[in-house]
Amino acid sequence: VGNGFCGECNREAQLGFAALLVRAHHDYATTMELAGQRDVSKKYSLIAQNLSATLRRETSLSEYGLHAGANLVNAGATTTVEDKILFGDQFNNTVTLCSWSNFNQYWILQALGNMG
């Protein structure tokens, strides 16, 4: 990305941004559905599903670190089994669970809640 957020962006940062893009479309579709804009909702829901399918086809769950995994969970793009795997691999260590960014920590906490 080259914006200073991640220095030289690695795979984790790229997957984090990609999962965030899926989430943005997913959340917008949900909002439009609640606003009664069903046509718009359907359009963005399909975009989110297609983006999610592309991510799933081109990546493996083991590539997702804490931040990218949180974005993937919050996008609704994981199954219950995958949530358990991500929890065990990324979200179950109190030393590494904290983000350097307070803003990003919110998404991690939200993902923990979304995992049940």
Side-chain angles (χ1 to χ4, degrees):
V1 177
N3 62 1
F5 168 74
C6 60
E8 184 177 326
C9 286
N10 56 22
R11 185 73 168 156
E12 166 70 3
Q14 293 170 351
L15 290 174
F17 284 119
L20 192 57
L21 180 65
V22 174
R23 180 180 182 181
H25 284 83
H26 174 269
D27 288 359
Y28 186 69
T30 301
T31 301
M32 290 297 98
E33 178 70 27
L34 293 171
Q37 300 291 320
R38 287 182 175 74
D39 290 342
V40 175
S41 174
K42 184 176 180 179
K43 174 184 175 180
Y44 284 91
S45 181
L46 288 173
I47 292 170
Q49 289 172 19
N50 288 334
L51 290 170
S52 181
T54 299
L55 264 182
R56 310 302 263 135
R57 188 174 52 252
E58 296 181 8
T59 65
S60 67
L61 199 58
S62 64
E63 293 182 77
Y64 289 81
L66 180 64
H67 293 86
N71 288 340
L72 194 66
V73 169
N74 292 332
T78 55
T79 65
T80 303
V81 171
E82 291 169 329
D83 287 347
K84 289 178 182 178
I85 292 168
L86 278 172
F87 180 81
D89 290 348
Q90 301 296 330
F91 292 83
N92 199 24
N93 184 331
T94 56
V95 174
T96 59
L97 186 60
C98 295
S99 175
W100 287 99
S101 162
N102 293 335
F103 180 78
N104 290 321
Q105 186 64 40
Y106 173 78
W107 305 123
I108 294 168
L109 293 171
Q110 186 177 38
L112 283 168
N114 286 335
M115 283 190 245

